Amino acid sequence: MAKNQQDILIEVRRKSSLRKRIVKSKTSYLMMAPYLILFFFFTVLPILVSIILSFTYFNMLEAPTFIGWANYTKLFLEDNIFLIALKNTLLFAIITGPASYLLCLLFAWIINEFHGKLRAFLTLVFYAPSICGQAYLIWNLIFTGDRYGILNGFLMNWGVINEAKIWMKDAKYILPFLIVVQLWLSLGTGFLAFIAGLQTVDRTLYEAAAVDGVKNRWQELWHVTLPAMKPQLMFGAVMQITQSFAIADVSIQLAGNPSVNYAGTTIVTHLLDYGTYRFEMGYASAIASVLFLLMVGTNKLVQRLLRRVGE
Amino acid sequence: MKPKRRLFRRQKQLNRSAAGNGLLFTLMFFCGIFMALPLVMIANNALKPLDEIFKYPPAIFVKNPTLENFTDLFVLMNDTWVPFSRYIFNTFIITGFGTVGHVLVASLAAYPLAKHDFPGKKIIFHMIVLSMMFSWTVTQIPNYMIISFLHINNTYLALILPAWQFGMGLYLMKQFMEQIPTTLVESSRLDGASEWKTYWTIIMPNVKPAWLTLAIFQFQQMWGNTGSTFLRSEELKPLQFALQQITAGGAKRAGASAAVSFILAAIPITFFLICQSNILETMTTSGMKE
């Protein structure tokens, strides 16, 4: 009995101190209010609605009808194309994710070694595929399926192949080529965040490191630069996950949707197929929810790995 | 301050080898050529006369450069139903408010998340990061319903307000603010500055590279928006929409549409260059010390 009373007392004290803490932090809440109100209306609410829709049949004309887990069981047990999409997406994520993360970091760091106008110019050049919005045009020229295609012409000149190949209509080549293009395109958000991050690293750290016996730029990178920009590394990782799991544009623009033998299908192209062509919003929402869970899991894993940087 | 900087420069040189410089320079040169392809192609296409645009096999470089495409584009602009200046004005409003507002709202919210301790902080932050992982394709329809419900359909607000709350911006700002030493914030508090003042005079100047970067992202995002889902009135639509209408004219407008591609890319690139040169500028002035 006595113990019980004590528990209640602790609980009461905790609650009142919680209330006190909330009152005390009113400036913090006030500062966040404009963002959070908008965030609730334009992000939280739509996401909740579409998670609810994933348990319904909804064709956008009639009112949604509740069908329980049917969308999800159909997704995993009957939809063979979804399984191909899942496999392709995981391949994309496992290969392009870490690779482009490292590329972003590497190029940002090298560019930071240059000075003045040359550095501004290099930043622009490497960010160009992300900013121009015309990138697929070039790759369509390269992969053109006749002998005027740049890749075909090149390989035929060198005698590697005898006749032109229709690259984007051959299931064997689609995925590897899409991965190459994706890597080329991937110096985007993370890249610029890293460049800005390198700017905010405290310069005195380098002086201290030089005194402490850091000998070259590689040691400097691992022992000073990377630990100092850990917040940006985390940000880059999250952006990388959202980008590499959500790959769709590359595939649609270069291989078409659906692609030959579904060789370029990803979860998002599958989602677009159901959401924007077949108008089965319930099913599309279920696909989105599965993708969401996949990303959240990966995110947890990557964050754990990143805590070790610089140790 | 000056002698110190000179000392630091000399030490920085000490940690750099000529072989390393050479290696990195060569690497950047070859990768750079490959990455610059879209820039080269857009510029060349805009200068190509019609016969070169339709040439098969297509060439990357222009042979007889001409400004014909741009003059064609100007003629077409005068034919539009709504005066062309109206489209430019719309873009200015949507992109301007969308970018400035987002940078302010997101960074204001990021400051308490990075430097304050209050109940619910972790949950709010996790929610924002998780929200970035939900596919926007399926939230489009709920979004449309909510915008109609708020009665801001067919106004500039339908594009501007949702743009203020992108999760990425807040996350980016919060991560940079975390780097600022807490002692700096505390000393500002001891000097009697309010939280709002600390945010504006201590935090924001120190994360200048971050909000300039965010401005680049947001500008690009807003600039790419055609507004076709939420804006029905022709006189509210942005430049992007008008220019794409010109491109939709098909083969007889191929020249003008090459010029359109050039303009559509040139404006974000100009904005990017302005911001980037400012990011570099901060490098010499920032002195964050514990």
Side-chain angles (χ1 to χ4, degrees), chain A residues 18 21-22 25 27-32 34-36 38-39 41-47 49-51 58 60 106-107 110-111 113-116 118-120 122-132 134 137-139 141 144 146 148 150 184 187-189 192-193 195-197 199-204 206-207 210-211 214-218 220 228-232 234-235 238-239 242 268 271-272 276 281 284-285 288-289 291-292 295-296 299 303, chain B residues 4 7-9 11-12 14-17 20-21 23-25 27-28 31-32 34-39 41-42 45 56-58 60 102 105-106 108-109 111-113 116-120 124 126-135 137-139 141-143 145-147 149-150 152 161-162 164-168 170-172 175-176 178-179 195-196 199 206-207 209-210 213 216-217 220 261 265 268-269 272-273 276 279-280 282-283 286 288-290:
Chain A
L18 181 71
R21 276 173 64 208
I22 289 177
S25 326
T27 324
S28 310
Y29 294 117
L30 214 59
M31 285 176 141
M32 298 195 64
Y35 184 90
L36 287 183
L38 293 172
F39 182 69
F41 276 110
F42 298 115
T43 299
V44 178
L45 222 51
I47 287 180
V49 169
S50 66
I51 288 177
F58 181 36
M60 307 213 300
L106 181 76
F107 284 123
I110 296 176
I111 284 173
E113 299 276 299
F114 291 92
H115 291 281
L118 183 59
R119 172 158 62 180
L122 281 175
T123 320
L124 174 65
V125 165
F126 280 80
Y127 191 60
S130 304
I131 208 172
C132 286
Q134 292 269 321
L137 254 170
I138 295 154
W139 289 95
L141 283 185
T144 305
D146 51 34
Y148 296 119
I150 294 173
W184 179 78
L187 294 181
T189 329
L192 282 197
I195 288 210
Q199 293 300 309
T200 33
V201 173
D202 189 346
R203 308 276 131 198
T204 53
Y206 293 110
E207 296 173 39
V211 173
V214 162
K215 285 276 172 337
N216 52 44
R217 64 182 100 202
W218 320 100
E220 207 174 68
M229 51 184 282
K230 232 179 211 179
Q232 285 81 23
M234 287 279 187
F235 172 79
V238 170
M239 293 318 293
T242 59
V268 177
L271 190 162
L272 287 170
T276 57
M281 281 321 285
S285 298
S289 305
L291 181 65
F292 175 65
M295 285 197 207
V296 172
N299 183 32
Q303 303 254 331
Chain B
K4 195 165 190 186
L7 178 77
F8 154 69
R9 278 229 176 255
Q11 277 180 341
K12 199 174 176 186
L14 261 181
N15 276 344
R16 297 289 177 272
S17 65
N21 279 341
L23 179 82
L24 294 183
F25 194 85
L27 180 74
M28 290 312 269
C31 294
F34 201 43
M35 303 301 283
L37 271 175
L39 287 178
M41 203 160 124
I42 287 178
N45 268 354
Y56 197 84
I60 290 179
H102 177 58
V105 169
L108 190 61
Y111 169 52
L113 278 180
H116 292 178
D117 186 30
F118 56 88
I124 293 174
H126 279 301
M127 251 169 57
I128 290 162
V129 173
L130 287 185
S131 75
M132 294 196 290
M133 300 180 183
F134 206 86
S135 186
T137 326
V138 290
T139 58
I141 288 160
N143 241 325
M145 290 171 358
I146 286 159
I147 282 174
F149 170 77
L150 294 173
I152 53 170
L161 284 184
W164 284 5
Q165 52 84 50
F166 291 142
M168 193 200 84
L170 179 130
Y171 187 32
L172 181 80
Q175 294 300 88
F176 275 85
E178 263 180 2
Q179 271 183 319
E195 286 302 312
W196 305 88
Y199 157 75
N206 271 314
V207 291
T213 305
I216 292 173
F217 292 144
Q220 233 178 300
S261 308
I269 286 175
F272 173 85
L273 284 175
Q276 269 297 316
I279 291 174
L280 299 180
T282 52
M283 183 202 154
S286 83
M288 285 187 332
K289 280 178 198 159
E290 286 272 1

Side-chain angles (χ1 to χ4, degrees), chain A residues 27 40 101 139 144 150 154 174 194 202 204 207 219 225 227 229 234 248 253 261 273 288 298:
Chain A
T27 324
F40 176 77
Y101 184 72
W139 289 95
T144 305
I150 294 173
F154 193 74
I174 290 179
F194 290 156
D202 189 346
T204 53
E207 296 173 39
Q219 281 185 356
T225 312
M229 51 184 282
M234 287 279 187
Q253 297 281 345
N261 270 341
D273 187 9
T298 317

Side-chain angles (χ1 to χ4, degrees), chain B residues 176-194:
Chain B
F176 275 85
M177 286 174 183
E178 263 180 2
Q179 271 183 319
I180 294 173
T182 314
T183 45
L184 209 64
V185 180
E186 274 164 4
S187 69
S188 152
R189 256 180 230 150
L190 282 178
D191 288 345
S194 70

